[in-house]
Amino acid sequence: MYSSSLADAPAIREPLHAPVAHLVRGGVTEGIHYGSVVVLGTDGEVDFQLGDVEVAFYPRSALKPVQAVAMVRAGLPLDGELLSLAAASHSGEERHLAGARRILELAGVTEDDLRNVTDMPYDPVVRDTWVRAGRLPSRLAQNCSGKHAAMLYTCRLNGWPLDGYLDPEHPLQQAIAEIVEDLTGQRIARVTVDGCGAPLFSVSLNGLARAAARITTAAPGTPEARVADAMRRHAEMASGSGRDVAALMRAVPGLLAKDGFEGVEVAALPDGRAVAVKIADGANRARVPVTAAALARAGVDPALLTEFAGEPLLGGGEPVGCVRPVRALDPVTLPACA
């Protein structure tokens, strides 16, 4: 299905994004979201593309399943909820914080050893409760703390230094970069720093979709399959209560999905069909319905995707429009807009 040789790194240039969704209010197109979409078939080939799917971009947290696979390959023994948390952009719920503490305990380290940034919980309801209780930002509450705790555990198991574990030259990050290239099938274009402080690797949208497909089609018991199983079985640990990406995995049997800041989402099915989405302006209101439309393009039953058609646009508190995928992406099941 996939070549074992690595393709060159994607080009670094201004993306040639295309319209992917229309903001329709009262029957008039009020705005346009630009972006790029790729749909892969079971053979790993591109079945559909829109925009610029080969340019270098940053997958943000959509790359976390790949990072988790790299850590499992390096000996990380987590499974179930804790492995899902290692690949998470969590909401900061108490179960997420408890899980991160447990990973730290297994590693024999403490929250003080974390080097992700301090933050409040990601979920607005949880954050409001946190503020009312007078709690301050912390590294544990930041949405990447599960990944960082797992990184420390992986370092401890391999005898790698804990200090500097976020340095791109650290053995941990070198191991992760190697797996990013292995699963995407291409050289990394550039390395920068993600919002949490960890190295962030630039690949293409097509490469991100390939990586997700390789994870979901891997043989049972492999590091890839362990990560996919953990995230699918414990979707709320990889995100949070009420999060759209968890609801999507529950709605579509066998689906692995991961979102990322700046309008990124990747999703793949056990047979290798995969989609990846980048919304140019980073808008979640476009990311969700465009991802659903891409999955329908990949052959997912549209009836399973109705709750992901996007939130209605309101006027005076009443629905007056919607965010609608462009006809090139969704020619059949376009939702009606007022």
Side-chain angles (χ1 to χ4, degrees):
M1 185 194 308
Y2 296 100
S3 170
S4 60
S5 60
L6 292 178
D8 291 339
I12 299 174
R13 54 171 170 76
E14 182 177 344
L16 302 175
H17 291 307
V20 293
H22 290 152
L23 181 68
V24 180
R25 181 184 296 270
V28 173
T29 299
E30 184 176 33
I32 301 174
H33 289 286
Y34 283 73
S36 295
V37 180
V38 65
V39 177
L40 303 184
T42 56
D43 58 359
E45 296 299 317
V46 175
D47 276 356
F48 175 85
Q49 66 181 37
L50 189 60
D52 200 345
V53 304
E54 296 294 353
V55 69
F57 91 117
Y58 291 119
R60 303 299 300 271
S61 288
L63 198 62
K64 283 178 178 174
V66 178
Q67 293 170 306
V69 168
M71 289 189 278
V72 174
R73 286 195 188 183
L76 184 70
L78 300 178
D79 279 301
E81 289 190 348
L82 294 185
L83 182 53
S84 184
L85 185 63
S89 300
H90 66 70
S91 291
E93 300 166 32
E94 286 302 325
R95 59 177 165 177
H96 299 131
L97 275 60
R101 289 191 194 97
R102 178 58 181 154
I103 296 173
L104 292 173
E105 290 171 1
L106 290 169
V109 298
T110 70
E111 184 177 351
D112 291 337
D113 293 296
L114 292 170
R115 289 295 175 264
N116 58 313
V117 297
T118 61
D119 203 355
M120 305 295 281
Y122 177 74
D123 183 273
V125 175
V126 178
R127 183 169 59 247
D128 288 348
T129 301
W130 188 282
V131 171
R132 285 195 298 270
R135 302 173 73 175
L136 299 175
S138 74
R139 298 187 193 277
L140 208 61
Q142 197 268 338
N143 76 88
C144 301
S145 64
K147 178 183 76 175
H148 282 255
M151 285 180 170
L152 287 170
Y153 194 7
T154 304
C155 289
R156 179 71 87 193
L157 291 165
N158 284 277
W160 296 332
L162 301 185
D163 290 340
Y165 77 91
L166 297 183
D167 188 321
E169 299 304 317
H170 188 281
L172 170 69
Q173 301 303 335
Q174 290 290 298
I176 290 175
E178 180 181 348
I179 303 309
V180 169
E181 292 189 333
D182 178 33
L183 293 180
T184 62
Q186 61 188 171
R187 301 290 181 188
I188 292 168
R190 184 162 292 178
V191 181
T192 188
V193 182
D194 209 340
C196 66
L200 177 61
F201 307 102
S202 181
V203 294
S204 70
L205 199 66
N206 195 0
L208 179 64
R210 278 196 301 269
R214 288 178 175 181
I215 290 172
T216 58
T217 57
T222 60
E224 292 89 338
R226 284 171 55 191
V227 170
D229 288 345
M231 293 181 68
R232 288 183 295 216
R233 292 172 183 168
H234 306 280
E236 285 79 10
M237 284 298 281
S239 52
S241 303
R243 294 273 291 279
D244 61 83
V245 69
L248 185 62
M249 283 194 278
R250 290 195 302 268
V252 181
L255 186 73
L256 174 70
K258 183 69 186 75
D259 54 347
F261 280 159
E262 298 303 324
V264 181
E265 185 151 349
V266 66
L269 291 154
D271 62 7
R273 288 174 290 160
V275 307
V277 170
K278 164 64 181 174
I279 305 300
D281 62 5
N284 278 330
R285 71 177 182 184
R287 172 184 59 82
V288 176
V290 169
T291 298
L295 286 169
R297 269 274 182 180
V300 174
D301 183 355
L304 300 175
L305 302 168
T306 53
E307 68 176 291
F308 308 102
E311 298 178 3
L313 298 180
L314 302 181
E318 297 296 327
V320 295
C322 67
V323 178
R324 183 172 67 190
V326 295
R327 197 169 296 276
L329 177 60
D330 190 355
V332 178
T333 59
L334 291 176
C337 282

